[in-house]
Amino acid sequence: MARTKSLKIGFLITIFTGGILLLVAYGPGWLQPVRVYHQVLVGLLVADDENSSDILAAYQAVLKEEGFPAARINPDDLNLSPGELVARYPALILPEGLNQALPPEVPRLLSDYVLAGGNVLLVYDPGIRAAGGGRLAETVLARLAGVNYGLPDPGGESYSGYWQFSSPREALAWGITPGKLSRGNAVSSYGYGRLNYRHVRARLLDARAIAFDTGGGWNPVITDKLYPSGGAVVYVNLPLAFYKQMSDDLAMRSVLRTFLIKYARLPRLVNTPGGKGGLVLNFHLDSNAHILPLRAMIQRGIFRPDLQYSIHITAGPDTYRPGDGLGFDAPSPVKGRPWVEVLQKYGAIGSHGGWIHNYFAANLEKFPRQEVWRYLALNCDTLAAITGKPVREYSAPVGNHPPFVNEWLQQHGILAYYSPGGLPAVSSRAARSAAACGPFPLPLTGNTRPWKNS
């Protein structure tokens, strides 16, 4: 009897002890509400599905390259509590052309979102039309943004103007280096002066103007409105995807990076090892005028054997026109060839245009295609014959790089070229009308000319 009682007590103690061990094993979380984790994303709001593919692809490409996870969302996805929406999408972007007519509840949802600490980037024309397509006297997001945009213009719905900053320091804060600024701190090009950008007419309400245009009367180009919640609304009066698709990476990349890092303070996956960038030292030898400076550079040790340079040469005997005798003349054993043989010790020899530097640049778009191909091949083949190595790099003379040149470069093994667009970018596949075209462009420092930027 005593033995049976002892066994029962022992059994109960075992169960009790086991229960305690199970509680310990599961930890304190067993007694607490379950925490739900989700990925922090940039939300790309799309209200108009019909025109979304090319525009959306441009934004997605840059965001991916810059290391910001992003997701396309529609207006119904905004129907979360403001706090939950901010936690899931700390930054919302309304791309141009995809949100001109917004559902009536969207302005209120975006206002609640910003008042809860969210950040909104409005690009060019969101909310400027009624549901029937007519232009509104005041965009539905004007009060939220502190700027009324899409106002009537005598020349039509938009006009061509400049992109200016109050100072080089302000421009640098938006990723525009001093070498890209011209008169009036306007974003400029490769020897062609101030770039023309498409704008709509706008009027400040209570936003701060960061960038502007003075070409046809003062007009805001970038504005911000900061809220006590920590939220912000940034308006950009530029069709960013259009310029990205026309090979000008500058506008979209500088705006997205500044908005997402400075305003939304989002983490990102940096696309260089250790977060350190690289710099390619690219020399151009256009004509025989460069031979004397080249000799001095080598004598003074500017070319170092422990650094690999990128050295691009226009190889022909002429420069301004056929027969002028002013070229680098790489085939000549007493002119250019000895220099090519010396320079190949210091890095890669690349091709600079097509055989006759200024003549080729001036007539590139007038020549029949076969003539263009002939000059390009002559330059590359001459340099390859001297070095014994295939040419893998290219640069455009006078910055003139129309997209059809990429057809030839891609077919002939060129891996990279210097790009007249996309200054703040890393090397990334260029696009024209949303299609990747040719080898990888390496953006330039200094003044550049995106192709047919208008």
Side-chain angles (χ1 to χ4, degrees):
M1 184 72 176
R3 178 178 175 81
T4 303
K5 190 174 182 180
S6 176
L7 287 171
K8 288 181 178 178
I9 293 172
F11 181 69
L12 291 172
I13 291 173
T14 301
I15 292 175
F16 181 72
T17 304
I20 292 175
L21 289 173
L22 284 172
L23 285 173
V24 172
Y26 279 102
W30 186 79
L31 301 174
Q32 296 179 359
V34 176
R35 291 185 179 181
V36 178
Y37 295 92
H38 52 75
Q39 186 180 22
V40 173
L41 298 169
V42 177
L44 290 165
L45 184 63
V46 178
D48 177 7
D49 284 331
E50 293 184 7
N51 303 309
S52 65
S53 59
D54 288 356
I55 294 173
L56 199 60
Y59 279 87
Q60 289 170 331
V62 172
L63 289 169
K64 182 178 180 180
E65 290 168 0
E66 291 297 330
F68 295 106
R72 169 182 171 161
I73 61 175
N74 59 50
D76 290 340
D77 294 319
L78 301 178
N79 286 306
L80 301 171
S81 69
E84 186 178 354
L85 189 60
V86 172
R88 184 162 296 184
Y89 304 106
L92 294 176
I93 298 172
L94 279 67
E96 70 274 21
L98 308 183
N99 298 283
Q100 290 189 350
L102 291 169
E105 70 276 9
V106 167
R108 176 185 59 79
L109 292 171
L110 290 178
S111 178
D112 292 345
Y113 166 81
V114 172
L115 292 175
N119 298 275
V120 177
L121 174 63
L122 305 175
V123 184
Y124 197 56
D125 59 2
I128 65 170
R129 297 187 184 277
R135 294 289 283 259
L136 297 171
E138 181 175 288
T139 171
V140 296
L141 300 175
R143 300 296 163 176
L144 180 65
V147 58
N148 190 21
Y149 51 86
L151 302 175
D153 183 79
E157 293 190 352
S158 64
Y159 75 99
S160 181
Y162 302 126
W163 178 11
Q164 299 169 256
F165 290 87
S166 58
S167 68
R169 184 174 182 178
E170 189 72 62
L172 190 60
W174 281 79
I176 312 297
T177 58
K180 280 289 291 181
L181 297 179
S182 184
R183 177 168 47 92
N185 295 316
V187 177
S188 64
S189 62
Y190 186 70
Y192 296 88
R194 296 182 288 182
L195 286 172
N196 291 317
Y197 285 94
R198 190 185 301 170
H199 307 302
V200 294
R201 290 291 173 186
R203 179 172 58 86
L204 284 180
L205 302 177
D206 57 355
R208 175 178 71 112
I210 296 168
F212 48 87
D213 166 45
T214 58
W218 193 93
N219 195 42
V221 173
I222 299 177
T223 68
D224 70 4
K225 183 176 178 179
L226 307 181
Y227 283 77
S229 63
V233 180
V234 176
Y235 171 67
V236 175
N237 194 354
L238 299 163
L240 302 179
F242 170 77
Y243 293 109
K244 168 66 176 172
Q245 292 166 4
M246 297 299 288
S247 83
D248 182 1
D249 207 52
L250 172 65
M252 177 177 283
R253 197 172 299 268
S254 63
V255 166
L256 292 186
R257 283 206 299 212
T258 305
F259 170 68
L260 295 174
I261 295 172
K262 178 181 176 181
Y263 290 88
R265 299 174 293 280
L266 289 186
R268 65 183 181 124
L269 181 64
V270 179
N271 51 16
T272 56
K276 296 181 179 179
L279 183 67
V280 177
L281 294 175
N282 180 230
F283 292 93
H284 290 184
L285 302 175
D286 304 348
S287 69
N288 61 20
H290 293 156
I291 290 179
L292 283 177
L294 184 61
R295 180 181 287 112
M297 291 169 69
I298 292 176
Q299 290 173 346
R300 295 175 186 178
I302 292 175
F303 286 97
R304 292 166 37 185
D306 60 324
L307 292 178
Q308 288 292 298
Y309 301 83
S310 170
I311 305 162
H312 293 188
I313 301 171
T314 307
D318 309 309
T319 297
Y320 297 95
R321 60 185 180 277
D324 65 19
L326 299 176
F328 188 79
D329 203 357
S332 170
V334 296
K335 295 182 181 178
R337 184 182 182 106
W339 291 106
V340 178
E341 292 171 344
V342 169
L343 290 171
Q344 69 176 324
K345 301 174 184 177
Y346 296 102
I349 300 297
S351 182
H352 187 35
W355 196 243
I356 309 175
H357 186 274
N358 289 37
Y359 177 75
F360 179 79
N363 294 284
L364 178 55
E365 297 160 75
K366 304 173 188 175
F367 285 145
R369 289 290 190 271
Q370 291 305 314
E371 188 74 352
V372 175
W373 306 156
R374 185 178 74 85
Y375 278 120
L376 289 171
L378 188 57
N379 209 75
C380 281
D381 293 347
T382 298
L383 295 171
I386 297 171
T387 63
K389 299 176 183 177
V391 172
R392 297 297 188 220
E393 301 178 11
Y394 176 82
S395 56
V398 198
N400 193 359
H401 191 128
F404 62 77
V405 170
N406 281 343
E407 300 172 20
W408 190 93
L409 300 180
Q410 191 167 20
Q411 293 168 6
H412 291 81
I414 301 297
L415 301 179
Y417 63 92
Y418 91 158
S419 170
L423 175 61
V426 296
S427 178
S428 58
R429 186 75 74 185
R432 180 173 170 83
S433 300
C437 56
F440 282 92
L442 272 72
L444 296 173
T445 60
N447 292 338
T448 60
R449 178 199 185 193
W451 176 248
K452 288 189 176 177
N453 196 345
S454 61

